[in-house]
Amino acid sequence: MATTKRDYYEVLGVSRTVDAEEIKRAYRKLAMKYHPDRADGDKTAAETKFKEGAEAYEVLADPEKRQRYDQYGHAGVSGHHDFSHMDVSDIFSMFDDIFAGLGGSPFGGRRGGRGSTSHRGFDLETQVELTLGEVGKGCEKTIEFERQDVCDICRGSGAKAGSSPVMCPQCGGQGRVAQQGFGGMFRMVTTCPGCRGRGAVIRDHCSACGGTGRQVRKRTVRIQIPPGVHEGQAVRVAGEGEPGSGGGGNGDLHCCIAVKEHPLFSRHNNDLVCQVPVSFTQAALGAMIEVPTLDGQNELEINAGTQHGEVFKLKGKGLPDLRSKRSGDLLVQILVEVPRKLTDKQRQWLREFAATEDASVMPQRKSFLEKLKGMLTGEQ
């Protein structure tokens, strides 16, 4: 019986409307979480999820396959790789290019030729929360995180003190094994399942790290956040990821930006939007009002006859552009407030004002009244 496959968007944890970059980011995060060499707990379950994520990414990262999948579901993309029967390292090598912009693969590309066991360390990801003011000026942040560092006792070998890893008997230290194909017509070379490509196995495990060669340690770094960053962007700190093996370098730390909600401002690209209430007399007669900015209060003159919802612009009072450093604008939307309570004198003044109103100076109201009259008399 065929197994039912999960929706690929559900596998990657994204909506159907996300762009290619978000799909790439989601797959990278999933692959880092479930790579069997890194995942805690059930390694078999982690490997299954890793392969499931790779299958989803192969389809959704290809515009044509994604379009067919969106239209026909799994039936529209049948015939692609069977990831469930592939080796993990071979799957990863298919998508190694998606990590090029982040300084390399988080699982470490194999260095050298066959039998080499040099791997770059895993990349790590953490979140940095900023205020809108910190986004505007840039800031320095202290980041605390945990990473798998080299074990002090076995110095990363995973072997018990006084012992060493031994050559893998299955691959003879090559890290790769050849399997005979159907009918003996061809051979397929894959990563050795006995040592997972390392070329060596550990007989006596280090008691401090359980043979992993790694110990969890807390680490603190200070990073510089440039002004103008956006929600979801990441600041890369080179070499602060987990250490590699066999001489491979450290991975990187990616600090993903989250921006706290501001009580007064909302952001639109590099512009800030602020809603400011005024009285109807200020709107009608015009006034000089105080409006908030990220740098403090600023005066703004509103014209006589300003309408509810009208927008005024304060040049250069927005957020700086990350690249050009030019600042956006502050867009001030006017909200005309109608008083809920009036004194007797105020009511009298308003009645006198209402008696002087002429529909001809209020063309929108006149048009509405004419349409209403026509509807009631059956003319429309």
Side-chain angles (χ1 to χ4, degrees), residues 167-200:
M167 180 186 295
C168 175
Q170 191 165 347
C171 65
Q174 294 298 303
R176 312 282 280 180
V177 292
Q179 297 178 342
Q180 201 69 24
F182 177 75
M185 298 297 292
F186 61 89
R187 292 194 312 159
M188 182 171 64
V189 178
T190 62
T191 300
C192 174
C195 64
R196 289 193 177 274
R198 296 179 179 88

Side-chain angles (χ1 to χ4, degrees), residues 283 303-312 334-336 364:
N303 305 322
T306 293
Q307 299 300 301
H308 178 80
E310 194 169 337
V311 176
F312 292 83
I334 299 300
L335 303 181
V336 179
Q364 290 182 345

Side-chain angles (χ1 to χ4, degrees), residues 6 8 11-12 27 30-31 34 47-59 83 91 95:
R6 285 204 299 155
Y8 287 149
V11 170
L12 296 183
Y27 169 64
L30 181 145
Y34 290 114
E47 183 171 325
T48 299
K49 289 184 179 293
F50 179 84
K51 292 177 178 180
E52 185 183 40
E55 180 178 323
Y57 177 72
E58 189 208 24
V59 171
F83 287 87
I91 293 174
F95 306 124

